[in-house]
Amino acid sequence: MQNQKSIHSLARRIVIALVLGIIAGFFFIWLRETLNATGNANIWNMINSIFFQDISAEGASNAIGLFYIIGQMFIRALQLVIIPMIFTSIALAIGTISDTRTLGRISFKTIAWFLLCYFFALLLAGTVGMFLYRSGLFSANITGLSVSKGSVGSNPLLVILNAVPLNITAVFSDNTAVLAVVFLAVAVGLCMNVLGKEKTNTLSKLFQEINDIVVVFLNFVVTKMGPFAIFALLSRTFATYGIHYLRPALIYVVTTVILLLTYLFAGYSLLIRFGTQLNPIPFIKKISKVAMFGFSTSSSAATLPLNLKTTTTELGVDEKIASFVLPLGMTINMNGTAIMQVIATLFIAGCSGSHVTVPILIMISVMAMLCSAGTPAAPGAGAIVLFTILSGVGFTNDAALLAYSLILAINRPIEMLVTSLNTVGDSCTCIYVAKTEGLLNKDIYNSKVK
């Protein structure tokens, strides 16, 4: 009972921090526009230097960046233990499943559900995006922007190759190599399964103790620092990426936001309803704080601990299922990222005058799925990886690069919503797998949110 009360208290504090952060953000947007319009830009520069400035940026050696420091300390504290948490949770989840047929069945269901979610997400994005592209609505005045090439384009199939690491120690020291960590965890878990409990008892205890320490640390960080960090992150985001960044590409922004919200609320609800025969309302109500947390941090990795806690304690999913599905989903199940990348690619095609046919759209969709699966679970990663798709379909002329620069400038608020979609999709998969395996506590799932 006490645990349930603390969960609901955290949910209320997250909501309050979210609302206050948005209100403060809009206030700072108004203040900035007013000061700049009245010739008081120096006052805003001073405010920005004290509260919002990225102190790691060039020329910011004298800035304070209070909100930036708070937000970054919070995200870094969460990302600090992401690798050990993913490795130990997956290895333990696989290592403790004695029946190899059960393990294979769970893995197949998980991947199949991921692909199903990707299919509907890409179908929605491709249909709407192609309609807007052919209607000529994807155009923007992009003159005057500096060209930013982002990352170098590469073959999306490298995602599969890089999943098998060359060096174990290098993988554990790199937060962007999550897929390789998942591979190692699965391999270790399978080997533990083959050897049996007697031979791996010491290793299992070690992994369990590490996992317990990580959970205690993350619970402290999320419950004590979370609401304050969410307020700081949201306020700074709105103050830094204001409305004037959105004006040149309003159609892209509005389209992407509508599609993401549609899939977030309607898409996952329908998948829950028809895929599991459960009432989706409890799922939407309980997972909402995870979506808000993901929106605030813009990092699937940072949201994983709260998602794991909510999925097991409030939605009734067995911990073995959640410990396997959620870290794997955080790595390869990126429905929101795929939607954003399809719409962004079509928007850039419209701005640059590139010709898009149905076969090219299919290629864009497939590449979006592969690139999304390899996107690091960190803020801003989706827009950078987008360049791989542009290179793959040949949208690399000067106009396309200018449109890509615009995406980089305006995409931060959109990627916040993308993260919400990604994290909710992982929990949705947990519900399906647990339900079909008889490892879902329906009483907990259907219990009311207090």
Side-chain angles (χ1 to χ4, degrees):
M1 180 64 70
Q2 186 65 32
N3 189 39
Q4 287 292 325
K5 287 182 178 179
S6 64
I7 290 173
H8 298 317
S9 174
L10 175 62
R12 285 193 296 269
R13 285 184 287 141
I14 288 177
V15 171
I16 292 172
L18 186 77
V19 173
L20 292 179
I22 292 175
I23 293 173
F26 276 112
F27 168 75
F28 284 120
I29 288 176
W30 170 83
L31 181 63
R32 182 184 61 187
E33 297 298 324
T34 302
L35 291 175
N36 289 336
T38 55
N40 294 308
N42 58 323
I43 298 178
W44 171 254
N45 291 335
M46 182 180 66
I47 295 173
N48 182 64
S49 177
I50 295 173
F51 292 103
F52 310 118
Q53 178 64 50
D54 178 353
I55 61 174
S56 65
E58 185 178 354
S61 57
N62 295 323
I64 298 175
L66 182 61
F67 282 22
Y68 173 81
I69 291 174
I70 293 174
Q72 287 303 306
M73 286 182 65
F74 176 69
I75 291 177
R76 288 186 180 203
L78 292 174
Q79 293 179 336
L80 175 67
V81 290
I82 288 301
I83 296 299
M85 183 178 68
I86 290 174
F87 181 80
T88 56
S89 62
I90 291 180
L92 285 171
I94 294 176
T96 53
I97 298 176
S98 57
D99 188 353
T100 55
R101 287 180 298 179
T102 300
L103 178 60
R105 190 171 62 247
I106 291 174
S107 301
F108 175 79
K109 289 179 180 179
T110 300
I111 300 299
W113 190 263
F114 286 165
L115 292 174
L116 183 67
C117 291
Y118 264 125
F119 173 78
F120 287 118
L122 292 170
L123 180 64
L124 176 65
T127 303
V128 175
M130 198 65 172
F131 171 77
L132 295 175
Y133 167 81
R134 289 183 172 177
S135 301
L137 294 176
F138 275 166
S139 60
N141 181 13
I142 56 176
T143 58
L145 287 175
S146 59
V147 177
S148 176
K149 293 187 178 182
S151 61
V152 178
S154 60
N155 193 322
L157 293 177
L158 283 174
V159 171
I160 300 174
L161 180 61
N162 291 334
V164 182
L166 292 171
N167 186 291
I168 292 180
T169 56
V171 169
F172 284 110
S173 64
D174 185 4
N175 272 358
T176 63
V178 178
L179 194 59
V181 174
V182 170
F183 171 82
L184 286 176
V186 171
V188 171
L190 289 173
C191 292
M192 291 171 61
N193 206 307
V194 172
L195 290 172
K197 291 183 180 180
E198 292 185 2
K199 292 185 177 181
T200 59
N201 187 47
T202 302
L203 189 60
S204 296
K205 285 184 177 180
L206 176 63
F207 284 176
Q208 187 61 60
E209 289 172 1
I210 293 174
N211 193 262
D212 291 342
I213 292 172
V214 168
V215 169
V216 170
F217 174 80
L218 288 173
N219 283 339
F220 176 81
V221 172
V222 170
T223 56
K224 303 301 181 183
M225 294 179 57
F228 299 102
I230 286 172
F231 173 80
L233 286 164
L234 280 177
S235 300
R236 181 180 180 273
T237 295
F238 277 76
T240 307
Y241 303 88
I243 296 175
H244 68 281
Y245 277 104
L246 306 182
R247 288 172 185 162
L250 188 60
I251 296 296
Y252 162 72
V253 173
V254 171
T255 300
T256 308
V257 168
I258 290 176
L259 290 182
L260 291 172
L261 289 174
T262 299
Y263 204 76
L264 180 63
F265 292 105
Y268 288 132
S269 294
L270 291 173
L271 286 168
I272 289 287
R273 184 61 179 172
F274 293 104
T276 66
Q277 307 302 312
L278 293 170
N279 181 2
I281 301 301
F283 173 75
I284 295 298
K285 287 183 177 179
K286 294 176 181 180
I287 205 66
S288 59
K289 64 175 171 290
V290 175
M292 289 185 288
F293 196 88
F295 179 82
S296 305
T297 61
S298 191
S299 170
S300 297
T303 312
L304 178 60
L306 181 62
N307 200 4
L308 184 62
K309 186 176 183 180
T310 302
T311 302
T312 53
T313 60
E314 294 190 64
L315 292 171
V317 174
D318 186 270
E319 190 173 348
K320 292 180 182 179
I321 298 294
S323 296
F324 174 72
V325 174
L326 288 180
L328 186 63
M330 186 201 76
T331 310
I332 64 175
N333 187 38
M334 304 280 191
N335 308 143
T337 306
I339 291 175
M340 180 274 292
Q341 289 178 342
V342 168
I343 298 299
T345 303
L346 290 172
F347 167 77
I348 291 171
C351 289
S352 61
S354 302
H355 185 58
V356 179
T357 61
V358 173
I360 292 178
L361 177 63
I362 294 174
M363 186 199 297
I364 291 172
S365 299
V366 172
M367 291 183 68
M369 182 179 69
L370 294 173
C371 290
S372 298
T375 301
I384 302 299
V385 176
L386 172 64
F387 194 78
T388 299
I389 301 177
L390 299 179
S391 301
V393 293
F395 298 165
T396 54
N397 58 31
D398 289 342
L401 292 178
L402 284 172
Y404 174 66
S405 298
L406 181 61
I407 295 293
L408 293 180
I410 67 178
N411 219 54
R412 171 65 168 162
I414 290 176
E415 290 219 357
M416 296 168 73
L417 188 55
V418 162
T419 305
S420 296
L421 200 69
N422 292 342
T423 54
V424 172
D426 298 340
S427 184
C428 174
T429 305
C430 277
I431 299 293
Y432 166 75
V433 175
K435 173 67 166 52
T436 56
E437 288 294 316
L439 295 174
L440 178 71
N441 189 320
K442 294 183 181 179
D443 292 334
I444 295 178
Y445 177 88
N446 291 314
S447 63
K448 294 183 179 179
V449 178
K450 298 180 181 179

